[in-house]
Amino acid sequence: MALNTGTIAGNWAAWQAAEIVAARVETAQVKTLTLRPQTWRSFRAGQHLDVRLTAPDGYQAQRSYSIASAPEQEGTLDLTIELMADGEVSPYFHEVAQAGDRIEVRGPIGGPFTWTAGQGGPLLLVAGGSGIVPLMAMLRHRANAAPSAQATLLYSSRGWDEVIYREELERRAGDEPQLRVLHTLTRSQPAGWQGFSRRVDDAMLGETLVTLAGVPLCYVCGPSPFVEAVAEGLVAQGVPPERVRTERFGPSGA
Amino acid sequence: MSTRGFFGRKRPEGEAGRTPPGQYLTKDFPVLSAGPTPHVPLDRWSFTLEHGGKLLGKWSWEEFLALPRTKVTVDIHCVTKWSKLDTVWEGVSFDKLLAAAKIEAPGTHVMAWCDGGYTTNVPVADLAGGKGMVAFRYGDAPLDPVHGGPARLLVPHLYFWKSAKWVRGLRFLDQDEPGFWEMNGYHMYADPWREQRYTGDP
Ligand SMILES: Cc1cc2nc3c(=O)[nH]c(=O)nc-3n(C[C@H](O)[C@H](O)[C@H](O)COP(=O)(O)OP(=O)(O)OC[C@H]3O[C@@H](n4cnc5c(N)ncnc54)[C@H](O)[C@@H]3O)c2cc1C
């Protein structure tokens, strides 16, 4: 398993206040919040923040959220948060938080699941649902810093209206000659749908891999069973395990 | 600083004292790993103890299963914030491994190494005295590969990344050295009750 062991300097692990400066609706269940932390630190695409909320009685809840914005967006950080019914923290971001509110954050955190322009291409990104978030940071960073690196995104969503960052992905696929975006819609497809319409399987991974010249560096993110299946599928398609990096967002349900 | 409009979920009575700060309880068993799940055939699996390049003990899968077993019920705490109560594990305790190899721990720390290239460092004092084991059964069934099977280290009183999945051996060290996550900004010791998640946490 290869890793980036860049020394992480400074007091990045200290909690600090961050102001919510903007909120944007992505889909019915997903929102993006733009935060302005007191001290903005550069980060690597793929890293996450820890967020801490404090109740009036002193009780605190913490969760991790991937950074969606590119490191080139200095001063602020975007988090993209999916609403979990009955969740403790995500409903706060969906139903309560608004511009001007302050929360606590620390980070950036995370080492192996990162990509920087210097690592080059080809790059294969495979996302399930909100697993797109850290991969979006990589795509945004790539467009800014390494547009000639070849990249393919294979993105699995339930339906077309559940595709997070849909317009931006469509625009990038049109504007960026080295980027391919492939969608699979597992539950419902719009009329005339040309993309994949099933769960990611080995055949689909094979068709995705042939869009890239050479063995890509692969990043897979999403619900646990999705990540497990895709990582195994990539290895079965001949990708060396050390070229496959995974991140999982939590409980196996999702 | 309290967060406007945040009240938190009702914390179940009785379980409160068992959840370290910043953790929430789950009944699920979430998975965390940096790469694909490795699959090593059991006839090529072995477990080794080493110190300074010297082999101190080596067991095949069958030999390992024949070692004296220990069963424990423990709470586990993952740095990604979930905790799970009353998990049942069975395996060979660190003490029994040393006894089987007829050695005393020859260093202050170990580096656990695993299939897939993962490593993690643990003080000997946190494995000895019944504190750590190499587990191969979970919930009265063989340990599932996604959860670290055939065998994983189990050091339940530290954050769960110290309980290295797919463990294949322990290398004794004369001083502490960082493993995989520890080189990536995670805490060298990782006590959940002191919330030692990252480098720089107290
Ligand atoms: C490294 C990392 C990066 C992540 N990045 C992102 C990201 O970019 N975007 C994103 O949306 N998420 C991300 N996550 C997931 C995120 O951290 C949270 O797990 C998620 O937002 C759910 O938190 P919650 O407090 O809303 O739900 P929780 O309260 O944690 O509950 C999760 C689910 O379990 C159920 N549940 C849990 N406990 C109980 C209980 N006691 N009773 C009943 N039901 C219960 C709830 O119904 C809910 O559906 C990431 C996680 C990690 C580890």
Side-chain angles (χ1 to χ4, degrees), chain A residues 63-66 80-82 85-90 133 249, chain B residues 9:
Chain A
R63 296 291 185 276
S64 301
Y65 292 101
S66 304
T80 298
I81 299 176
E82 180 179 14
D86 318 321
E88 182 169 45
V89 170
S90 60
V133 180
F249 275 3
Chain B
R9 191 186 272 138

Side-chain angles (χ1 to χ4, degrees), chain B residues 166-187:
Chain B
W166 313 304
V167 70
R168 291 289 302 277
L170 303 177
R171 278 197 293 271
F172 286 93
L173 306 172
D174 297 318
Q175 63 194 44
D176 203 4
E177 286 175 24
F180 180 81
W181 288 113
E182 295 81 6
M183 278 190 279
N184 280 287
Y186 285 76
H187 202 275

Side-chain angles (χ1 to χ4, degrees), chain A residues 18-35:
Chain A
E19 185 182 336
I20 299 173
V21 293
R24 180 171 75 241
V25 171
E26 301 282 1
T27 72
Q29 299 294 320
V30 178
K31 229 174 165 175
T32 293
L33 298 168
T34 302
L35 305 182

